[in-house]
Amino acid sequence: MNESMHGEALVDRVIERVRQEGWPTSEAPDVTDPVPLAPEVIDRLRLPGGRPLPPSLRRWLAFDSSWLADAGWYEDPLEPVFGDRGLAATAEWMYGSGGVMPGAFDGFEKLLPAVCLPLVGGCDSRRLLYLGSPDSTGEYPVLVTDIDDLPYVAVMYPGLDVYLADLAEILDLPFDTYTSLAEHPEYGPRMREHAENTELGPDGLDIQDLDWLD
């Protein structure tokens, strides 16, 4: 494993890019005036259920807490308290009023019952951090939801670290499909861990696949 392509080390590269040049995409909120959290605040933060923060999130919050407040993770960037919405409620919040039929993702919550935190990106698709089981690096998967045809969910990134790096365009990642990183030489092993932990498999599932799983 190339450590510079994972976790805190990768987020350090993202922060350097954002400090020097800003985000290369208009999807990402402005962080020209970042709000860093003190180490003691980060140390006492816990995810829903009392679990520790993943390495990527600890490093990002040491740089800026304002963006994730704007993204809907919590209200106060100086004293974060993470939300507790599930997948269906998070999807409805991300797509907005009229963007998705109420209950469109309800069926996925039996398979994916953990808390979700919204992220930017996509139109018919959205990204969110799923706080189910961490991988062997301590990172949680970033899922994609899609409503272009049937409601669909898949593992798109192996963690917040790789998601941020892609948003900052510091990695040349192939995305022929949402799940292309499952075959990536560096990220494939982590993607496969999450595909198994979430039971979404390497290609994701649409709502009709859940009937078959039952």
Side-chain angles (χ1 to χ4, degrees):
M1 178 184 288
N2 182 344
E3 293 187 1
S4 70
M5 295 182 69
H6 301 267
E8 291 185 19
L10 182 56
V11 177
D12 275 334
R13 295 170 57 191
V14 174
I15 292 169
E16 181 180 4
R17 167 66 186 266
V18 172
R19 277 178 171 154
Q20 292 181 355
E21 303 177 42
W23 293 105
T25 171
S26 61
E27 288 184 334
D30 182 17
V31 287
T32 52
D33 294 311
V35 178
L37 289 184
E40 60 270 20
V41 176
I42 296 173
D43 285 344
R44 68 172 179 259
L45 282 180
R46 291 293 181 270
L47 298 176
R51 290 173 294 178
L53 274 57
S56 60
L57 181 55
R58 289 183 59 90
R59 183 65 191 94
W60 181 261
L61 291 174
F63 167 62
D64 175 62
S65 178
S66 64
W67 173 37
L68 297 178
D70 292 341
W73 286 34
Y74 40 75
E75 294 184 2
D76 186 350
L78 295 177
E79 290 288 343
V81 177
F82 296 103
D84 59 359
R85 286 181 296 224
L87 175 62
T90 303
E92 290 182 21
W93 184 88
M94 289 190 298
Y95 285 104
S97 176
V100 62
M101 290 183 61
F105 287 92
D106 286 358
F108 285 94
E109 290 201 347
K110 183 177 179 180
L111 187 70
L112 302 165
V115 169
C116 297
L117 298 170
L119 294 164
V120 301
C123 183
D124 286 338
S125 65
R126 294 289 190 272
R127 291 91 173 98
L128 53 88
L129 189 69
Y130 178 68
L131 302 179
S133 298
D135 63 21
S136 53
T137 71
E139 298 290 340
Y140 293 85
V142 172
L143 306 185
V144 59
T145 63
D146 190 280
I147 57 170
D148 184 47
D149 188 7
L150 295 171
Y152 165 86
V153 181
V155 178
M156 186 170 181
Y157 298 95
L160 187 66
D161 51 346
V162 184
Y163 164 82
L164 289 172
D166 190 35
L167 195 64
E169 296 183 3
I170 63 171
L171 298 175
D172 184 16
L173 297 178
F175 274 110
D176 297 327
T177 68
Y178 290 132
T179 59
S180 290
L181 292 187
E183 303 302 324
H184 192 276
E186 189 67 36
Y187 299 121
R190 288 176 58 193
M191 289 286 289
R192 289 189 286 274
E193 284 186 62
H194 291 308
E196 181 176 353
N197 289 340
T198 60
E199 299 186 59
L200 287 169
D203 300 316
L205 299 173
D206 66 38
I207 196 72
Q208 289 184 340
D209 293 323
L210 300 181
D211 295 334
W212 178 81
L213 289 174
D214 289 341

